[in-house]
Amino acid sequence: MREDELFRMGSYNSQGYYVDGTHIDGSIGEEDDTSSGSNDQDDDEDQMDFEEDDLEPESSISTEDEEEEDEEDNDEWTNQKRTDNQNSVAYYAAMEMLRIRFPFQSIAIRISDFCCLQEKDLLNDTMIDFYLNHIVEHVLPDSSGSKVTVLPSLFWHNLSLRQHASDSEDEKLMSDEQKMDLKFGDLHDFVADFDLQDFDYIVVPVNEWEHWSLAVICHPYTSKARTVIFDSQLTADLNNLQNMATLIEEFMKYSYEKRTRTVMPYPLPCVLPQRMPQQTNNYDCGIFIAEFARCFLLNPPKDLDNFDFVNEYPDFNTANKRAEMQRAVLSLSPNRARWRPLVELLNGYNTAAPHRAL
């Protein structure tokens, strides 16, 4: 299976996504180039200065005609040629700021993706996938000794479809093995390039009804196996989180038995940490799971069955998380200074009221 069939770049939610006005159901292999953003502000902390040395030198040789053409047709932020029909919001939104390859996922971050890092906006799947991989590859110290992988958010979207599948007449004639192949077969192919047994932690971002949760599969197929579920908007009914863990366990069991032809040796019970910090608005769920992941992976609790979040991470704080994620993107972009007008726009540099500088 080609890499571009495995991992879609762009934004999606649990109801599917849209391409040129057409609704797509979000099955594996389909692609999307859209995402959304809104506008707000932050405090005066975490300033990032853009030095003149960051600017890339322009070519010093050009004809008079070329200079005139550049003035009229070039985009000053990206130095990319544009035609008349590209002079639109959609054209700018689709421009790439960063394309990066992680071990099991390639991610393209566009302007439209970056815009969701402004205040009061929901994080899309591209930014969630990017930051979780960024933690694993660039934040965790090499000395941690833990092997960690991140499954793309598209994985859960496709796995969750199995949760609501109804039996058809044809399925009633199938064996149990055939039913499991029908339910999980293509998802097993989705992770066939690496052995889930090789990892200490498998990070699974979860989007349900435009709300982000996080599942971390710990020590799979060992006596210490657990699935830890993080959620910043708990309700009185926790059945949905338990169902999430159960579905993950079913898939892990199927994948193990398919690969080894033996029964999974240990169950995968669900752990819901006590006293998890909770969001106080309806848009910071992605910010919370990003910080949940960072704290947990940097310092996993030794006793998962008695996981008290406040005791383990007393300094948990999401106040400047959006600024941190903006910096992470820009630090990896080869054209960081070129995006300065966009960063100023998102963070309100050019308004009367004082705003945070990135």
Side-chain angles (χ1 to χ4, degrees):
M1 188 177 295
R2 300 198 324 270
E3 184 176 64
D4 60 352
E5 292 176 322
L6 292 177
F7 304 118
R8 179 182 54 79
M9 314 305 173
S11 81
Y12 92 101
N13 57 39
S14 55
Q15 285 74 44
Y17 45 96
Y18 292 83
V19 177
D20 296 333
T22 302
H23 182 264
I24 307 296
D25 66 1
S27 59
I28 290 175
E30 294 169 336
E31 297 187 354
D32 172 41
D33 290 332
T34 64
S35 55
S36 61
S38 64
N39 178 18
D40 204 71
Q41 61 190 42
D42 215 332
D43 6 292
D44 287 327
E45 298 180 3
D46 296 315
Q47 180 167 353
M48 174 181 287
D49 295 326
F50 289 85
E51 304 294 340
E52 292 298 327
D53 293 341
D54 292 331
L55 291 170
E56 293 190 356
E58 301 292 336
S59 172
S60 59
I61 302 176
S62 62
T63 66
E64 183 176 341
D65 291 340
E66 287 173 339
E67 290 175 354
E68 182 178 355
E69 180 184 8
D70 288 342
E71 182 179 353
E72 293 178 355
D73 295 336
N74 281 8
D75 178 77
E76 62 181 358
W77 288 359
T78 65
N79 201 31
Q80 298 181 32
K81 294 281 186 178
R82 68 171 182 266
T83 60
D84 290 342
N85 63 353
Q86 291 174 322
N87 191 13
S88 65
V89 171
Y91 169 71
Y92 284 107
M95 284 183 178
E96 282 187 8
M97 298 180 66
L98 173 67
R99 181 179 291 271
I100 185 168
R101 181 182 296 276
F102 293 108
F104 298 108
Q105 189 173 3
S106 292
I107 296 174
I109 297 178
R110 299 177 171 87
I111 288 178
S112 55
D113 302 315
F114 191 79
C115 284
C116 73
L117 292 177
Q118 60 195 332
E119 289 297 317
K120 296 186 179 180
D121 204 354
L122 292 166
L123 267 60
N124 69 5
D125 62 330
T126 298
M127 296 314 308
I128 290 291
D129 288 346
F130 163 77
Y131 188 74
L132 293 178
N133 279 279
H134 170 69
I135 292 172
V136 174
E137 297 304 318
H138 305 139
V139 177
L140 292 184
D142 294 336
S143 60
S144 68
S146 296
K147 296 180 179 179
V148 185
T149 191
V150 178
L151 297 183
S153 50
L154 185 60
F155 172 81
W156 171 259
H157 177 65
N158 284 275
L159 180 61
S160 65
L161 296 178
R162 278 72 181 168
Q163 190 173 20
H164 307 294
S166 57
D167 292 337
S168 66
E169 291 298 322
D170 291 338
E171 289 180 55
K172 294 178 181 179
L173 303 176
M174 295 180 180
S175 65
D176 290 342
E177 183 178 359
Q178 289 173 323
K179 289 179 181 178
M180 294 301 288
D181 285 337
L182 180 64
K183 187 174 184 180
F184 294 125
D186 57 342
L187 281 172
H188 176 71
D189 294 339
F190 192 72
V191 297
D193 289 342
F194 56 97
D195 192 339
L196 298 175
Q197 292 178 266
D198 291 341
F199 298 99
D200 300 301
Y201 301 99
I202 302 170
V203 181
V204 184
V206 173
N207 189 290
E208 290 283 343
W209 302 105
E210 299 186 351
H211 175 70
W212 287 105
S213 304
L214 186 73
V216 181
I217 304 167
C218 306
H219 314 295
Y221 310 126
T222 71
S223 60
K224 298 187 294 182
R226 301 288 187 275
T227 298
V228 182
I229 304 293
F230 298 91
D231 195 293
S232 61
Q233 205 169 48
L234 297 175
T235 63
D237 183 7
L238 300 179
N239 287 336
N240 186 53
L241 299 182
Q242 180 60 59
N243 292 341
M244 182 190 304
T246 300
L247 187 60
I248 289 173
E249 182 179 25
E250 288 179 2
F251 172 76
M252 294 294 288
K253 177 181 178 182
Y254 172 84
S255 183
Y256 183 88
E257 295 179 357
K258 198 71 175 176
R259 186 180 292 272
T260 66
R261 297 297 175 183
T262 59
V263 176
M264 188 170 74
Y266 299 98
L268 196 58
C270 175
V271 172
L272 191 64
Q274 304 172 44
R275 298 199 294 171
M276 271 187 293
Q278 300 290 283
Q279 65 191 86
T280 57
N281 52 52
N282 60 358
Y283 47 79
D284 270 344
C285 51
I287 296 298
F288 271 76
I289 72 160
E291 187 62 8
F292 285 153
R294 191 191 68 84
C295 292
F296 181 87
L297 294 175
L298 280 172
N299 187 24
K302 292 180 173 59
D303 184 4
L304 289 175
D305 291 329
N306 296 289
F307 185 178
D308 186 309
F309 194 97
V310 173
N311 284 345
E312 294 289 343
Y313 312 112
D315 298 326
F316 179 88
N317 193 326
T318 62
N320 299 306
K321 198 67 186 176
R322 292 178 187 268
E324 178 192 329
M325 295 176 75
Q326 287 178 343
R327 290 196 301 272
V329 173
L330 294 174
S331 69
L332 297 170
S333 173
N335 301 316
R336 188 184 76 170
R338 197 169 285 170
W339 304 113
R340 182 173 182 174
L342 173 63
V343 176
E344 292 179 345
L345 176 65
L346 292 187
N347 296 288
Y349 283 16
N350 299 322
T351 61
H355 294 277
R356 176 186 58 77
L358 180 63

